[in-house]
Each structure stands twice: as C-alpha cells, then as structure tokens.
Amino acid sequence: MSDVVAGLVTGPDREQLVRLGRTLVEERLIACLNVVDRVTSVYRWEGKVCEDAEALGILKTTVARSDAVERRIRELHPYDVPEVLFIPVAAGSEPYLAWVSEQVG
C-alpha cells in the first residue's frame, strides 16, 4: 500500500475546478488535478431529488496531506457541502507515486 491517495471533488463547472486545482498545486497540497469537464450528478438535497451538470476533479496527494486538502477545499469551494472523497492507492507506477509524494512535500 502506498501513501498516495486519489481524491474526488465535484464543482459547478470546469473553470472553478481548474482555479481550485491551481491553488492546491501552488500551495503544494496536491500533485495534480485532472478535470472531467461535464458529468451529470443525481442526488437528494433539502428533500428533493436533483439532477445537475457538474465538473469532476480527480486529485492526487498523500495521506499526510489529505486533511489539509479537505480543509482548503471547504474554504475555497462554492458549495455548502462539497464532495471531498479520498481513495487509497494500493499500487501503481513507482516513479509516479514517488513524484506525487515529492510534489506535496
């Protein structure tokens, strides 16, 4: 098991997630953020079933930085309850995993 985690964050559009990703990379909280421009989210909010177009961000960081990443996303994100999920990376390309760890030092 590596110390790298992949994270998921959704947002209202590509531009807002790109700005969020740029800030997190500049602050060395994440190594990178990939943005999938358009996804459809179906969810329950305030008692109603909603369906909205969103963007999806896939970030890479380390377990040690995940709490700080979550805090910073909550500070910067326009949603009241932003999606912030971390998924352990069991294995992967060793050079890539090392690069992720170096970037978030």
Side-chain angles (χ1 to χ4, degrees):
M1 186 69 101
S2 76
D3 69 333
V4 172
V5 293
L8 302 176
V9 59
T10 53
D13 56 48
R14 177 189 178 283
E15 291 74 23
Q16 289 196 41
L17 284 187
V18 168
R19 279 194 306 272
L20 175 68
R22 183 172 295 283
T23 298
L24 296 175
V25 168
E26 288 172 351
E27 294 177 358
R28 299 185 69 88
L29 293 173
I30 66 172
C32 68
L33 177 77
N34 307 111
V35 178
V36 180
D37 193 19
R38 193 166 170 94
V39 296
T40 300
S41 295
V42 179
Y43 57 97
R44 184 178 304 276
W45 183 253
E46 297 179 343
K48 293 190 286 187
V49 175
C50 303
E51 182 177 321
D52 290 305
E54 294 184 294
L56 170 66
I58 305 166
L59 63 89
K60 277 66 76 180
T61 191
T62 60
V63 171
R65 300 298 270 167
S66 60
D67 287 343
V69 170
E70 179 187 356
R71 270 193 310 277
R72 193 67 172 124
I73 289 172
R74 283 188 284 123
E75 290 171 2
L76 298 171
H77 205 285
Y79 291 174
D80 292 337
V81 182
E83 173 184 357
V84 184
L85 300 173
F86 295 103
I87 302 161
V89 174
S93 163
E94 286 301 323
Y96 183 80
L97 297 176
W99 174 80
V100 170
S101 295
E102 290 166 9
Q103 299 311 304
V104 299

